Amino acid sequence: MATQYGQHGDYGDYGDYGDRSRQGEAPGAGAGGRRRYRLPAVLRAPVEARAWREFAYVLLSLPISIVLFTFAVTMLSVGAGLLVTFLGVPVLAAGLAACRGLGSVERARARGLLGLDVAAPEPLRPRGKGAMSWMGAVLRSGTSWRHVLYAVLHMPWAVFSFTVAITFWVYGWATLTYPLWFWLFPLYGGQGGLQLYGDDGHRVYLDNPFEITVTALLGLLITLATPWIVRALTTVDRVMVHGLLGPSRLASRVVELESDRGVVVDTAAADLRRIERDLHDGAQARLVALAMDLGLAKEKLREDPREAARMVDEAHGEVKTALQELRDLARGIHPAVLTDRGLDAALSSVASRCTVPVQVEVDLVERPAAAIEGIAYFTVSELLQNVSKHSGARSASVDVWRVEERLMVQVSDDGVGGADASGGSGLAGLAGRLDAVDGILVVDSPAGGPTRVTAELPWRRGE
């Protein structure tokens, strides 16, 4: 259902809108600081630094992979052969530990040449102290064996990628520059040029202007294609480094959950401090003043009933104000209308306090879990606060719907744009709160508007 709201209200300041100056951008940079090029990517790729870094990575992969393969196979063979004695255990542990160290070198090489930032895997966690505990931790670690697997698998791939890359690179540049050096053949080689075909009675050389031109054009095509071929080869390297030398999926999930737990704890603590501050500075202070005013009115009741009645009337107004502040505080924590009637009614109530007309549309067959419902409500409240105070919009809209197992919330306005979720803005804090429950916040707000902020939350069925 869709409803229009347009009453005035007031919320906290979360300044995320406004014009953003683009400082520090390179000349010719476009929106978002991206550099604009005159040539398309396919033409400039052979001379870009990225192409040469990727080519250098492929060249270095061959000797490094041979060293890794030789070391890993040797240590595994020696360690496995010595397992009939106790010496095999420390040899295997030392080999695995060395492979982990060499893996850090590979991650650094991928970071420097491929721009692939892979986090270090989870550290060893020995169950006790001493060499035996350390060797047991190394042998039990799946990360150690994944490093060995990388050393074994990377060598044949490095041979293949080195051969392909060097072949295309050399033949491409050699044929492209053929018009510059073909004269070496008749001058020093005793033949007209590159030999295209030859047998006992007949030989074909690339020696006339047409053939030289065609050769150079063919070389140009090979040269233009080579960076993309090398990039495809290094894609496999990226997958191997990320999958075998990085943290396991389980370890990454544990780290993510620990980080999310910290965000939730910090957010809860901040909310408690805010509630305490609002109670102390707002309703509590008014109630203290009210008690003092009533005490003074009680003393004046016999001496000056009219003055006492005036003071009681003022105290009555203070009671109404304190009650309104308590209602606002309770609404900011978890409004009763959300519990009783769901998102549609709760968001309609929030929209009615926005300073611009807001159209609310909630398309949900059933209610999500109370925690997800509360986060969705809080998200819309924060975003409509921004619309009220900073967007300069004439209208806004709130849409809530479900896509498979995700709850989608979108707030749009026709304001000045420039909303930014980076830094320490309110949107950044909102993104962190959503991330704590596996949610996502996407901000689309070009300068000049319009602004569209989409929040995606996991769908959990309400009880």
Side-chain angles (χ1 to χ4, degrees):
M1 61 182 67
T3 314
Q4 287 284 346
Y5 299 89
Q7 298 180 4
H8 290 267
D10 190 21
Y11 265 75
D13 188 352
Y14 294 85
D16 295 302
Y17 287 78
D19 296 332
R20 306 286 181 178
S21 59
R22 305 186 183 279
Q23 299 178 356
E25 293 184 356
R34 294 183 178 178
R35 185 178 180 84
R36 295 178 178 176
Y37 295 93
R38 296 181 181 274
L39 293 176
V42 67
L43 295 180
R44 65 176 187 270
V47 294
E48 281 188 327
R50 176 180 176 180
W52 290 96
R53 287 196 301 268
E54 291 172 341
F55 183 59
Y57 183 90
V58 173
L59 294 183
L60 290 174
S61 291
L62 181 61
I64 291 177
S65 66
I66 292 175
V67 173
L68 289 176
F69 180 86
T70 304
F71 177 82
V73 171
T74 301
M75 294 300 291
L76 283 178
S77 302
V78 174
L82 292 176
L83 280 179
V84 294
T85 66
F86 178 75
L87 292 178
V89 174
V91 170
L92 274 178
L96 292 175
C99 286
R100 290 175 67 109
L102 294 173
S104 64
V105 176
E106 283 293 270
R107 289 193 299 273
R109 186 167 70 97
R111 186 181 305 113
L113 296 178
L114 299 182
L116 178 64
D117 193 4
V118 177
E122 59 274 17
L124 293 174
R125 293 184 174 87
R127 296 178 179 176
K129 297 182 179 180
M132 292 300 298
S133 297
W134 177 83
M135 286 187 289
V138 173
L139 293 174
R140 287 192 306 270
S141 173
T143 301
S144 302
W145 293 102
R146 283 192 286 113
H147 280 66
V148 173
L149 184 61
Y150 173 85
V152 174
L153 294 180
H154 190 250
M155 199 273 286
W157 172 252
V159 173
F160 173 78
S161 59
F162 178 90
T163 305
V164 173
I166 201 70
T167 300
F168 275 88
W169 205 277
V170 170
Y171 274 90
W173 284 101
T175 52
L176 176 62
T177 59
Y178 182 58
L180 303 178
W181 56 272
F182 80 96
W183 52 269
L184 293 173
F185 287 95
L187 187 61
Y188 297 105
Q191 61 187 44
L194 282 176
Q195 182 175 328
L196 184 62
Y197 171 80
D199 54 25
D200 294 337
H202 183 66
R203 290 180 176 85
V204 177
Y205 297 103
L206 302 175
D207 54 0
N208 62 61
F210 175 76
E211 294 172 344
I212 294 173
T213 302
V214 171
T215 303
L217 291 176
L218 179 62
L220 177 62
L221 294 177
I222 298 174
T223 302
L224 293 177
T226 298
W228 306 101
I229 295 173
V230 174
R231 190 160 301 171
L233 295 173
T234 56
T235 300
V236 178
D237 290 277
R238 294 172 187 270
V239 173
M240 295 179 66
V241 172
H242 188 274
L244 297 177
L245 301 184
S248 65
R249 184 172 300 179
L250 177 61
S252 301
R253 184 58 177 165
V254 170
V255 172
E256 181 181 351
L257 291 176
E258 290 177 349
S259 175
D260 291 345
R261 182 183 63 182
V263 171
V264 171
V265 171
D266 293 342
T267 301
D271 289 342
L272 288 176
R273 290 193 298 269
R274 177 180 59 82
I275 295 170
E276 181 183 9
R277 183 180 65 251
D278 291 344
L279 286 173
H280 183 272
D281 297 341
Q284 181 180 346
R286 289 188 181 278
L287 291 175
V288 171
L290 174 63
M292 296 177 61
D293 291 342
L294 289 176
L296 293 174
K298 181 180 179 181
E299 294 178 358
K300 288 183 173 292
L301 185 60
R302 294 181 180 179
E303 301 175 0
D304 190 351
R306 181 174 297 178
E307 179 65 18
R310 186 190 63 80
M311 296 178 68
V312 170
D313 185 63
E314 291 180 355
H316 183 257
E318 287 293 320
V319 169
K320 290 182 178 180
T321 303
L323 287 175
Q324 183 60 43
E325 289 182 353
L326 288 174
R327 290 193 191 98
D328 293 340
L329 182 60
R331 188 184 297 114
I333 298 173
H334 193 87
V337 65
L338 178 62
T339 303
D340 298 337
R341 299 172 57 190
L343 273 174
D344 193 1
L347 296 183
S348 299
S349 176
V350 172
S352 67
R353 297 190 296 274
C354 189
T355 58
V356 301
V358 180
Q359 178 176 326
V360 177
E361 185 170 351
V362 179
D363 183 13
L364 296 177
V365 177
E366 57 182 328
R367 295 178 62 174
I372 300 300
E373 204 172 46
I375 294 175
Y377 172 84
F378 177 82
T379 300
V380 174
S381 299
E382 294 285 294
L383 295 175
L384 288 183
Q385 290 170 27
N386 283 349
V387 172
S388 295
K389 289 191 169 291
H390 310 290
S391 70
R394 295 187 299 272
S395 64
S397 63
V398 176
D399 296 285
V400 181
W401 71 99
R402 178 182 176 183
V403 177
E404 295 180 352
E405 295 303 312
R406 306 294 285 183
L407 177 65
M408 310 297 295
V409 178
Q410 187 174 91
V411 177
S412 306
D413 67 73
D414 57 358
V416 297
D420 186 7
S422 62
S425 66
L427 287 177
L430 188 58
R433 181 171 296 212
L434 292 175
D435 185 63
V437 293
D438 289 337
I440 301 173
L441 186 74
V442 179
V443 180
D444 180 16
S445 182
T451 295
R452 182 181 295 106
V453 182
T454 305
E456 182 179 335
L457 292 164
W459 178 269
R460 296 171 189 165
R461 195 180 305 276
E463 297 179 359

